[in-house]
């Protein structure tokens, strides 16, 4: 098959089948306003006027035929490293969700839609299967599922789906949870999870009308190359008069139309070849910035109704399709990939001078004022990759700093020897089943905490009951216990802690996530001019299951404190004081912490997590106990603290004693290079500790005590 990689916009129309009128269950017998002619297979005749597109499909077209003709070329492009988008647009009830295959319902093969078919082909082409040791695999595939509902974006795979990723007040979008895909079953599971959480409602026009715009993104990672296939099911444009919606449904309709209008404006600007595209006018376009831009191949499927009563909407949809065709898009491999390819070539062509060529390549990116120098490999870690550093003069302009940082990230990823391999080291990809298990545990934990709070809120009832901790094992406590026994056993094996198990693709090269900075930069909203700062990105990726362990620990700390200490006012360490000032443990997402005078310093859940973990540390070491249990507690503590070090952001790290901004930054950089810290010995040998700073730190966080 010949694929034109440079073909920019492909537009196709699909006729919807007749829908039931709802009047005594008789089929609609209106005359169809659509005609399709054999002589002109790419055209559709709407009420006598001919409109030509790249493809036109009547209502008899099968799902397979639609996929093969329209989407399969896009899949091949995505596999070749191009970012691609398939988008369905049209009036409500015309079969957009059906075509896209967003549903996880069991259905016969003939009804399976675009998303599962795409994934099936991608997995097939990349030789990926769910066998444990899959050496033949040519890369990795991940999928995320996001919806935009009422001008807020939600991660449908997040631990807490009610927490918006972005809203009018917080418009930064950094992408959603990415789950590894090894089989169709994995996809089915995330579709089930996503569609269960997605907003749908019965309206006059559709029994199962999507009230949100949904985006499934399939990330394809092949060595240093990362491309995305975005599959977008837009909610149907609707006329409030015809749908007869009232109240919430009516408001939803307004938001749906607002998002669609935003897309129209973006498309008009791209058609006019303007450099300033109004992505910020709606949350939908903010989220779609990575999928709807001048470099991303677009295939638009417009679904139109054959009913005469829908003629106005059909004509409006046709106009939309015509405008889309005018868009000036030049699909190209992202600059990042080009750079990486260039570097790769340089490296393989001259092995001995490889580092020089990387430096030279990067040198071109950098302003003259910024110097690159190469550091020797970390002697303590035999597997450590060569590390580089870029020194930025204090007076450098903000732009120079930005470019330097970008180059530093590229440098880090290029110095990663795994960049030509399948996966970056230090990242474990959990299965969907593992994720669901974690999610269930988290739900149990929340329930347990809720029950606990309720009981604490009723002291008189509680007084009649036996003490809570001794009497009734809460589901959350059980979870904690299991979780801790895992941690302890890991700790006993030499403090080895698994790295954060989940990978989040974010829009910006956040220091937090830059284990493979090149990869991260290419994902999410790749070229967002308002790329988020590391802190913001961490906050936006908050429901990141990879940091669930830290969340569990802080919850645990709270639970233990609640049960054992009650209102105990023992003096705490500095960090613990911060925790207590900040109003204690993190609150649940839907119940923001009350802002009191004292807790103003606690700036976010991640900060709270770090500080409350420290509170737990303080508590743990002031309690009397036997030597044996102290030893167990110490290994648990060391393991937990190491886990914190492996997951915390720059800001979180600064909550630890003896860690200032510079050390925090250096720790994060080292973590990025190494993948993760395997044990405390490795941390101790890092070149970041000056003179006696390590021993001070170790003393302050109680990890050097040998019980
Ligand atoms: N080509 C088709 N073949 C068989 N059934 C179809 C076809 N197109 C749509 N349907 C059916 O029509 C109904 C409405 O379709 P769907 O929910 O996909 O519409 P929609 O455009 O996504 O609507 P909304 O925008 O309100 O979400 C569904 O029951 C779907 O199964």
């Amino acid at each position: 098959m010949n694929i034109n990689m440079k073909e920019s916009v492909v537009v196709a129309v699909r006729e919807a089948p007749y829908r039931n009128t709802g009047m005594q269950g008789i089929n609609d017998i209106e005359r169809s306003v659509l005609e399709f002619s054999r002589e002109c297979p790419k055209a559709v005749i709407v009420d006598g006027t001919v409109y030509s597109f790249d493809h036109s499909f009547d209502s008899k077209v099968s799902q397979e035929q639609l996929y093969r003709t329209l989407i399969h070329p896009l899949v091949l492009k995505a596999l070749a490293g191009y970012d691609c988008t398939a988008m369905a647009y049209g009036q409500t009830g015309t079969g957009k969700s059906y075509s896209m295959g967003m549903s996880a319902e069991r259905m016969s093969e003939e009804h399976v839609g675009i998303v599962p078919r795409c994934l099936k082909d991608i997995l097939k082409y990349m030789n990926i299967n769910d066998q444990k040791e899959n050496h033949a695999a040519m890369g990795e595939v991940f999928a995320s599922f996001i919806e935009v509902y009422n001008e807020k974006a939600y991660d449908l795979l997040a631990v807490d789906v009610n927490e918006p990723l972005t809203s009018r007040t917080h418009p930064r979008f950094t992408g959603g949870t990415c789950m590894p895909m090894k089989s169709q079953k994995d996809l089915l599971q995330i579709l089930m999870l996503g569609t269960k959480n997605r907003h749908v409602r019965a309206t006059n026009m559709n029994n199962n009308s999507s009230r949100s715009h949904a985006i499934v993104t399939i990330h394809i990672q092949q060595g240093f190359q990362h491309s995305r296939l975005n599959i977008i099911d837009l909610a149907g444009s609707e006329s409030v008069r015809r749908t007869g919606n009232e109240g919430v449904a009516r408001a939803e309709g307004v938001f749906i139309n607002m998002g669609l209008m935003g897309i129209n404006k973006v498309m008009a600007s791209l058609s006019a070849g303007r450099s300033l595209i109004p992505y910020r006018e709606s949350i939908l376009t903010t989220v779609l910035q990575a999928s709807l831009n001048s470099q991303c191949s677009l295939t638009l499927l417009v679904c139109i109704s054959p009913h005469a009563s829908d003629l106005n909407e059909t004509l409006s949809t046709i106009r939309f399709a015509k405008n889309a065709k005018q868009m000036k898009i030049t699909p190209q491999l992202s600059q990042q990939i080009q750079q990486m390819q260039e570097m790769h070539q340089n490296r393989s062509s001259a092995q001995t001078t490889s580092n020089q060529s990387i430096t030279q390549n990067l040198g071109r990116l950098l302003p003259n004022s910024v110097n690159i120098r190469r550091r020797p490999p970390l002697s303590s870690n035999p597997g450590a990759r060569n590390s580089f550093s870029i020194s930025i003069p204090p007076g450098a302009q903000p732009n120079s700093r930005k470019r330097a940082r970008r180059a530093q990230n590229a440098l880090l990823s290029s110095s990663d020897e795994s960049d030509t391999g399948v996966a970056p080291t230090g990242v474990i990809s959990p299965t969907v089943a593992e994720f669901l298990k974690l999610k269930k545990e988290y739900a149990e934990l929340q329930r347990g905490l809720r029950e606990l709070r309720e009981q604490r809120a009723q002291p008189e009832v509680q007084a009649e009951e036996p003490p809570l901790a001794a009497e009734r094992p809460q589901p959350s406590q059980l979870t904690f216990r299991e979780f801790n026994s895992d941690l302890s056993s890991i700790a006993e094996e030499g403090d080895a802690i698994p790295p954060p198990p989940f990978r989040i693709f974010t829009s910006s090269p956040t220091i937090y996530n830059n284990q493979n900075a090149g990869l991260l930069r290419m994902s999410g909203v790749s070229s967002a001019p308002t790329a988020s700062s590391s802190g913001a990105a961490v906050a936006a990726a908050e429901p990141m299951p990879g940091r669930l362990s830290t969340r569990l620990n802080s919850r645990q700390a709270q639970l233990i404190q609640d049960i054992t200490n009650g209102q105990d006012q023992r003096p705490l360490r500095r960090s613990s004081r911060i925790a207590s000032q900040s109003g204690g443990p993190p609150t649940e997402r839907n119940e923001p912490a009350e802002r009191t005078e004292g807790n103003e310093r606690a700036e976010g859940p991640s900060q709270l997590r770090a500080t409350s973990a420290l509170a737990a540390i303080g508590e743990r070491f002031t309690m009397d106990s036997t030597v044996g249990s102290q030893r167990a507690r110490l290994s648990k503590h060391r393991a937990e603290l190491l886990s914190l070090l492996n997951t915390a952001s720059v800001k979180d790290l600064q909550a630890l004693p003896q860690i200032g901004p510079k050390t925090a930054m250096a720790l994060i950089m080292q973590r990025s290079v190494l993948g993760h810290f395997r044990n405390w010995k490795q941390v101790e040998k890092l070149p970041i500790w000056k003179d006696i700073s390590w021993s001070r730190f170790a003393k302050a966080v109680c990890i050097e005590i040998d019980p």
Side-chain angles (χ1 to χ4, degrees), residues 19-29:
R19 65 167 177 266
N20 284 344
T21 56
M23 293 158 58
Q24 293 137 22
I26 332 160
N27 269 346
D28 197 47
I29 46 163

Side-chain angles (χ1 to χ4, degrees), residues 14-17 19 58-61 63 90-100 111 198 200-201 203 205-212 233-238 303:
R14 183 183 198 178
E15 180 189 25
R19 65 167 177 266
D58 63 16
S59 59
K60 292 189 202 78
V61 70
Q63 294 279 74
Q91 187 194 349
T92 178
T94 47
K96 296 180 297 297
S97 308
Y98 174 82
S99 303
M100 288 299 174
H111 293 294
R198 196 178 165 191
V200 287
R201 179 190 298 280
T203 67
M205 309 285 281
N206 185 357
N207 283 339
N208 220 0
S209 177
S210 320
R211 312 310 289 159
S212 65
D233 173 25
L234 294 173
S237 53
E238 58 186 40
C303 298

